[in-house]
Amino acid sequence: MNPIKQRELADGVIFNSISDNRFKTMKLLTNIFLPMSEETASVNALLCYVLVRCCKKYPDMIKMSRKLGSLYGAEVNGSVSKMGDMQCIKIDIGGLSDKYAINNENISSELSELLCEVIFNPKVKDGKFDEKDILQEKRQIMDMIDSDFNDKRVYASQRLFEIMCADEVYGIKWCGTKEQIEAVTSEQLYSAWLNMLKNAHFEITFVGESNPDNAAEIIKNSFKEIKRAPVDLSTDVVYSVFEEKDVVEEMDVAQSKLEIGFRTACAEPEPETVATRLMSVILGGTASSKLFNNVREKKSLCYYCLARYQRLKGIMFIESGVETANIESAKKAILAEVEDMKNGKISDFEINSAKLAIINSTLGVSDTITGLSGWYSSQVMDASVDTPEEACKKVEAVTREEIVNAAKKLMLDTIFVLKAGE
Amino acid sequence: MSKITEVKSARTGDMYYKIEHDSGLSIYLYPKRDYNSKYAIFGTHFGSVNNAFSLDGGEVKKVPDGIAHYLEHKMFECEDGDAFLKYAETGANANAYTSFNKTCYLFSCTENFEKSFDILLDFVQRPYFTEETVAKEQGIIGQEIRMYDDSAEWVVMFNLLKEMYKNHPVQIDIAGTVESIAEITPELLYDCYYTFYNLNNMVLCVSGDLTCDDVLKIADKKLKKCEKHDIKSYFEEEPYEVCSHYIEQSFPVSVPLFNFGYKEKSHKVSQKESAEIDIIISILTSPSFELYNKLDEENLINQTFDAEYFDGQGYNSVIFSGESRFPKRAAEVIKEYIENLKQNGVNPEDFEIAKREVYGDLVSSLNNVESIANALADAHFNESDIFGFIDDVAQCSADDINLRLKNMFDTDNTTLSVILPDKE
């Protein structure tokens, strides 16, 4: 693998390229960042899915899909997520490396062009997107919202964030509400598209063995006529808890879900995020963690019990699935483990195994195209961009004292229980 | 001495080693130069369906439902401590799973491969069960079963299997039930262990920047030679017909789900047949073709729509799945379309695109050490070869597909399973 090369193709349009001949595929990943807001969340989310559905050159789903299929099952994917207080529209295109084409097609250059067709040349007419396409993609997003409710684990964790961050931008769902999606008009979608081209921050990453210059050139040309005024990337971090929230919701399910949210008083770009992450992994990130060993293995209270840290927003959350009769004992057992962390009751074994686990998974990032492209695009809001090796060195250097300090800053914010019938 | 064979693929430029180890174990090594990641999977051909079996022609033993999965959990507990805690000292990410047909133990790592590999080979060959340790697992697996009880996707599938299969144990939940696992004892676990965890019934697949010596250095030391035995699994006779054509259940969901299955006569699927089936499934589920677009335009499916060929010892079927507001209508459209396709044959251009889609997917999957080793393990138990499979896809013709279609999809032998939202 060669080191990452970075260049700016236009104001706020960053092109990263990694030449790597180990893979049988190539990928061009575009991360488009816009500020999250109540007013724009739904229109931007819908825009993403309408853009990847089809374009002027391949004006319906079947034509688009057949073009990709004939390029040996190449794929265009769109997805929308939150990164801190930014909404991230992800559009990626990927397919086989040229040398595996049975009929010698130049797959990578066709795909670079197709990506630009999708972003810059959508099926618009008279300042509007196609009504039928919009209707279909609205239906898909509404089904996605509904299907989040189908999965009770996903639902419970979404509820935690809704309750915990009710007064923050971060509490907005990635696509807004069903009502907002329903209400989007084709004109609004068109202005959202123009706004995106003009104001969004673009982070484009190319991974593959062919020369990235061709792709960079095509993208650069596409931005030529656009007058750019890119937004800043920023996130509000909450450093105190005004009032602990405790919410119980009853539902006719078999297993209760327990979700506990903490403020960590530490977020990017502060350097202590490395220690805070390590602290969360010691607590509940592996099969040798405190939660797995003590709450699952020793007390047999649950099948899963884990902790996750969101370093952009400064939140750590713990989740578990338990018998209704055991909700209180599980809560007690989990909070006791958190207290132990704060009091420095952490063994060397726990620290070292967590460090090893993080290092092992981090070094593996460079072995998949998705891992590699995601690694760099996930650091756009960080103080510095690290290679996987640099990130490992930082983890290794964390001391016991720093871990305990990170734990001491934890503030319980919200407990959400999805309560099953007894 | 172990016998080492090189298996090469001209089409992808890759190769792997097949090692027939002295101990009786089949080992596969797929080298990936310049990868940090290494992955190993150690599996036995023992899954949830193998609940009645005999050894060397002896008496047939019937064991409680869910025992293969229970055994998987208990293997991690060793006399000298928990295997997860041993892995914690190497940093490897370890896991295990039980499916209908196999139980697999695996880890991925970038550092300390030797130590982790040693741990894997060690604990899977050293069972240790006591009354106390076995009892402890009831609570944990009980919660795992409860978690799946709330999974609409899981329930819609098992409802389908229950209506498609009258006697075959594929209709029983892989983890069993809270009641069935209460019957599990250390003796029963040992019985299953010594029957199915014989190295001749197992496979070990490794991928990463490794040589045969790296693998054999530890394998030679750790693998204990096993005598080959005759293991037989017993299944009650299964009628050709499905039990019923429709089942529905209400659930706390907001978007309805469906599984729609075509039951087939049980048979062993050849590699060539499997390649043809993959292309057929692509034609029936990819947005590049008519059926997907017809269903989408009528608002009958969304992007979750998919299908799989579902087969194993004693069962074969094709199962369509997805979310749908109108599952009955979706099943009708699928049926009609397939009937027409069987009569008129596939459009040659469709066939070519579908073949490319399947081919591209297969070659892409060789990027990743995990998917490679998993595919090698599956291929071993199916007696096929991953490179031969790619060649079979590339060489498949539209005539092959049309012929295959004639022997599939009996419109009169289908079941539709639906999960409907609770009424307010």
Side-chain angles (χ1 to χ4, degrees), chain A residues 65 70 143 254 323 360 367, chain B residues 37 110 143 150 288 325 356:
Chain A
S65 180
S70 63
D143 278 357
E323 206 61 35
N360 251 296
D367 292 332
Chain B
S37 306
T110 51
Q143 284 314 305
D150 283 332
S288 298
R325 309 266 169 196
R356 287 178 175 219

Side-chain angles (χ1 to χ4, degrees), chain A residues 41-80:
Chain A
S42 51
V43 66
N44 286 335
L46 184 60
L47 175 64
C48 170
Y49 290 99
V50 171
L51 288 178
V52 296
R53 182 181 177 89
C54 56
C55 55
K56 208 166 248 168
K57 197 165 175 191
Y58 303 101
D60 59 38
M61 191 168 69
I62 199 162
K63 290 198 179 81
M64 182 84 168
S65 180
R66 287 174 86 87
K67 173 65 191 169
L68 292 160
S70 63
L71 290 169
Y72 304 93
E75 281 186 6
V76 175
N77 287 307
S79 65
V80 182

Side-chain angles (χ1 to χ4, degrees), chain A residues 22 24-25 65-66 70 103 105 139-140 143 146-147 150 152 254-255 297 300 323 353 360 363 367, chain B residues 14 34 36-37 88 91 110 136 143 146 150 252-255 288 299 301-303 323 325 350 356 367:
Chain A
R22 296 174 304 160
K24 300 202 179 319
T25 54
S65 180
R66 287 174 86 87
S70 63
N103 300 327
E105 291 91 343
R139 181 173 69 86
Q140 297 274 357
D143 278 357
D146 279 345
S147 101
N150 285 14
K152 298 301 171 269
Q255 185 183 58
E297 291 294 310
S300 298
E323 206 61 35
S353 60
N360 251 296
L363 292 176
D367 292 332
Chain B
D14 282 12
D34 299 326
N36 294 325
S37 306
T110 51
K136 191 202 82 176
Q143 284 314 305
R146 298 292 245 177
D150 283 332
V253 294
S254 37
V255 49
S288 298
N299 299 341
I301 55 160
N302 59 30
Q303 52 170 12
E323 298 169 353
R325 309 266 169 196
D350 284 4
R356 287 178 175 219
N367 267 345

Side-chain angles (χ1 to χ4, degrees), chain A residues 8-217:
Chain A
E8 193 164 12
L9 301 180
D11 191 9
V13 180
I14 312 298
F15 185 83
N16 304 302
S17 59
I18 303 163
S19 294
D20 198 320
N21 59 12
R22 296 174 304 160
F23 301 120
K24 300 202 179 319
T25 54
M26 58 76 68
K27 184 171 186 143
L28 247 175
L29 168 71
T30 312
N31 278 322
I32 304 165
F33 296 91
L34 284 160
M36 191 73 179
S37 82
E38 197 80 61
E39 298 72 38
T40 56
S42 51
V43 66
N44 286 335
L46 184 60
L47 175 64
C48 170
Y49 290 99
V50 171
L51 288 178
V52 296
R53 182 181 177 89
C54 56
C55 55
K56 208 166 248 168
K57 197 165 175 191
Y58 303 101
D60 59 38
M61 191 168 69
I62 199 162
K63 290 198 179 81
M64 182 84 168
S65 180
R66 287 174 86 87
K67 173 65 191 169
L68 292 160
S70 63
L71 290 169
Y72 304 93
E75 281 186 6
V76 175
N77 287 307
S79 65
V80 182
S81 60
K82 286 186 288 187
M83 272 183 74
D85 290 348
M86 306 299 289
Q87 191 177 21
C88 175
I89 298 175
K90 202 175 274 186
I91 297 179
D92 68 62
I93 194 159
L96 285 187
S97 298
D98 296 343
K99 68 176 172 202
Y100 301 105
I102 301 178
N103 300 327
N104 298 319
E105 291 91 343
N106 189 341
I107 304 175
S108 63
S109 119
E110 290 221 40
L111 292 184
S112 305
E113 278 164 30
L114 190 51
L115 179 74
C116 288
E117 292 291 330
V118 165
I119 296 174
F120 299 99
N121 207 4
K123 196 171 115 195
V124 288
K125 212 176 151 188
D126 306 328
K128 285 186 199 172
F129 277 84
D130 184 90
E131 297 283 356
K132 209 177 127 204
D133 292 341
I134 294 175
L135 222 58
Q136 281 301 337
E137 293 307 323
K138 278 185 178 178
R139 181 173 69 86
Q140 297 274 357
I141 295 185
M142 294 209 261
D143 278 357
M144 279 189 244
I145 296 175
D146 279 345
S147 101
D148 285 346
F149 177 73
N150 285 14
D151 185 334
K152 298 301 171 269
R153 200 166 157 176
V154 171
Y155 173 72
S157 100
Q158 285 186 354
R159 288 291 291 138
L160 174 77
F161 285 101
E162 274 171 21
I163 297 160
M164 187 163 166
C165 306
D167 303 325
E168 297 158 64
V169 166
Y170 199 67
I172 302 169
K173 202 179 165 73
W174 62 270
C175 60
T177 64
K178 271 171 100 167
E179 292 70 29
Q180 288 166 333
I181 291 283
E182 185 86 72
V184 175
T185 66
S186 55
E187 290 86 355
Q188 284 169 338
L189 204 62
Y190 185 78
S191 4
W193 173 61
L194 294 179
N195 173 65
M196 175 189 94
L197 293 179
K198 187 171 171 230
N199 299 321
H201 174 93
F202 282 74
E203 193 82 20
I204 303 162
T205 307
F206 176 98
V207 186
E209 76 179 325
S210 54
N211 189 338
D213 293 348
N214 179 33
E217 204 47 43

Side-chain angles (χ1 to χ4, degrees), chain A residues 339-356:
Chain A
E339 275 314 300
D340 277 358
M341 294 285 307
K342 292 186 177 200
N343 295 326
K345 283 190 200 156
I346 310 167
S347 68
D348 288 341
F349 171 78
E350 286 169 330
I351 295 176
N352 292 334
S353 60
K355 281 186 176 178
L356 273 172

